[in-house]
Amino acid sequence: MSEASFDFDVIVIGAGYGGFDAAKHAADDGLKVAIVESGDMGGTCVNRGCVPSKALLAASGKVRELADAEHLSGFGIHAAPVRFERQKIADHANKLVATIRSNLTKTLQRAGVTILRGHGRLEGSQRIGVREKSGVDRLLTARDVILATGSDPFVPPGIETDGRTVFTSDEAVNLEWLPRWIAIIGSGYIGLEFADVYTALGCEVTMIEALDRVMPTFDPDITKMAARHLIEGRDIDARAGVLASKVIPGCPVRIELAEMKSRELVDSLEVDAVLVATGRVPSSKGLNLESVGVETNRGFVPIDDSMRVLVNGNPLPHLWAVGDVTGKLMLAHTAAAQGTLAVDNIQGHSRTIDYRSIPAATFTHPEISSVGLSEADAKELAAKDGFELGSVRSYFKANSKALAELESDGLMKLLFRKDSGEVLGAHIYGLHAADLIQEVANAVARRQSVAQLANEVHTHPTLSEVVEVAYKQAAKQLAKAVVASASAS
C-alpha cells in the first residue's frame, strides 16, 4: 500500500493518557492522526482512577485534618465538630472529571486529531475496524497503529460484584454511599487510598490481604512505619494471609475467608459493602490481535523498549502498544511517556524507555512513594555485578518543616552503589512524599552519584532537606568505602 493511500498516518486505539499523549504528540509533529475510543475520553485515569480518587482523597483529607482534635490542639486550635456532605464530596470529584475530560478532548481537537467514537480492532496489518455504537462498522487504514486500551479492575474467582454492595474502584470513585462497615480486599495502593477515604468519612474498615503481610508491594521498612499510622493508627482490622474465597453481594454482604496456603475455611464475615482492590488486568480482548499473529502473555501485549509489538520475540512492522495493556508499569505517567516515545520511534528517532527512573506514589495521608529498585532487587543486582550495596535512612523527625507541621512521622530510605555512588532507588513515607520522590527520580534517570548530589543546596526549611540529609549520609559512606578499598589494595 502506498503512503498516499492511507487514511491516516497514525491511528491510536484508546484515549487514556497513553493514547492521548501519543495522538497529541503525533499531531503536533504534523502527522494525520485519528484516535478511537469506545468509552469516555480520558480512559481509566481521568474517569475512574487517578483524577476522581485524588479529588476524594483531597476532600476526605480535609475532613480528617479538621477532625483530628489532638493534632490541632498542638497548634492551640480547637475546631467545632466536623460536618460534611457526602454528595458534595462526590460532586467535587465528578466536576473535576468532567472538566479534565473536556479539556483533554478540546486539546486533541485543537491539535487536529480526528476523534472516532466506537470500538476499535485490528483487521490485519495497517488496517483498523471501528464499530460505532449505532452498529455501523468502518474499515480504516493507517501507516502505523498504536494500541493504548488500558486495563480493567481484576475480580478474583469466587467474588461476585453487583456494583452497589460489592464493587471495584470503578464504582467506588462515585462515592454513592458510605457503608457503615466495609471490607477492602487487597492492601496495595488502591486499597490503601480508599481505606484512607472511608476511615476519614467515618466508615469501619476491614482489610483482607491474601499475602503474608499487609502492604506486600511496599518496602518492608516503609511498611513497618506506614502501617502503624495508616492501618493500626486508624483502628483498621487488617487480616493478612487469608483469601476472600467467596463474596456474595446483598444486605449484608457475605464473605468466606480461607487460609491462603491450605485454602481451608477459617472465618466468615457479614459486612455492609466490599471493595475489591486486587489489581488490574489488561484490556486486550476484542482487539483481534490474532489477525496479525500477536499472542498475549496473560492478556498483556508484548513489546520491546521502543514500544514495538512483538511476535515470537521479533518486532511487528507498524504496530505499537503503550500503557497498561503492555503490563510494564501500570501508571498513567508511564503510559504518557510510552505514548510520546512510540511516536518518536515511528518518526525514526531511536528512543527507549528507562523504567527504573519512573516514580510511583500512593496518595494516603501521609503519602508513600518510590523510584528505582527495591532493596531485594538491589541486593540481587549487587551480587550479580559484584558491588557492595549502600543504604541510608533519613527521618522526618529531624526536619524543621515537618516538625513545624507537627507531621514528623516519616522515613526515606536511599539505595546506592558503594563503588560509584550511583543512586539505585529510594522509598519514602511521610508528608508530601509524592513530591519529594521526583528529585530522586531525576537522579536515577541521570545515573548520578551521591558524591555529586550531596553538594546540591536545598531550601531551608523545607521537606526537601530530608533528601539532602540522605544524600550527605550516603556520600560519607561512599567516601569511607573508597578509602577502605584503597587501603586494601
Side-chain angles (χ1 to χ4, degrees), residues 395-409:
Y395 291 90
F396 282 59
K397 64 185 177 183
N399 180 267
S400 298
K401 183 66 184 301
L403 290 167
E405 298 278 353
L406 297 181
E407 293 279 2
S408 59
D409 188 26

Side-chain angles (χ1 to χ4, degrees), residues 16 44-45 60 87 101 107 112 131 157 159 162 165 243 251 261 277 284 334 350 360 391 400-402 454:
T44 294
C45 181
S60 62
Q87 187 57 56
R101 185 195 300 145
T107 296
R131 180 172 290 277
I159 298 178
D162 62 359
T165 62
L243 178 71
C251 297
K261 294 179 180 178
S284 57
T334 302
S350 183
S391 174
S400 298
K401 183 66 184 301

Side-chain angles (χ1 to χ4, degrees), residues 331-484:
L331 302 166
H333 46 283
T334 302
Q338 288 177 317
T340 301
L341 188 144
V343 171
D344 284 346
N345 283 313
I346 284 172
Q347 297 181 89
H349 309 301
S350 183
R351 285 186 59 205
T352 57
I353 195 163
D354 176 22
Y355 292 109
R356 186 189 292 184
S357 66
I358 297 176
T362 301
F363 293 88
T364 46
H365 296 87
E367 298 167 344
I368 308 170
S369 62
S370 64
V371 71
L373 300 178
S374 67
E375 186 164 15
D377 288 342
K379 286 178 178 177
E380 186 177 322
L381 180 65
K384 175 176 170 286
D385 290 357
F387 65 86
E388 188 179 353
L389 177 66
S391 174
V392 296
R393 301 181 185 190
S394 177
Y395 291 90
F396 282 59
K397 64 185 177 183
N399 180 267
S400 298
K401 183 66 184 301
L403 290 167
E405 298 278 353
L406 297 181
E407 293 279 2
S408 59
D409 188 26
L411 165 69
M412 172 181 173
K413 178 192 283 187
L414 182 72
L415 306 171
F416 62 98
R417 296 178 62 127
K418 280 194 174 181
D419 55 354
S420 65
E422 179 188 338
V423 176
L424 297 177
H427 305 269
I428 308 176
Y429 163 72
L431 191 64
H432 298 302
D435 298 308
L436 294 176
I437 201 65
Q438 189 60 53
E439 179 180 350
V440 189
N442 295 341
V444 173
R446 295 163 187 153
R447 300 300 191 257
Q448 287 180 291
S449 168
V450 293
Q452 174 189 0
L453 295 165
N455 294 321
E456 295 181 348
V457 180
H458 292 69
T459 310
H460 175 77
T462 64
L463 295 170
S464 70
E465 291 173 290
V466 170
V467 181
E468 180 184 15
V469 169
Y471 285 157
K472 289 184 183 302
Q473 289 177 343
K476 286 181 180 179
Q477 276 197 22
L478 180 64
K480 289 180 180 178
V482 170
V483 170

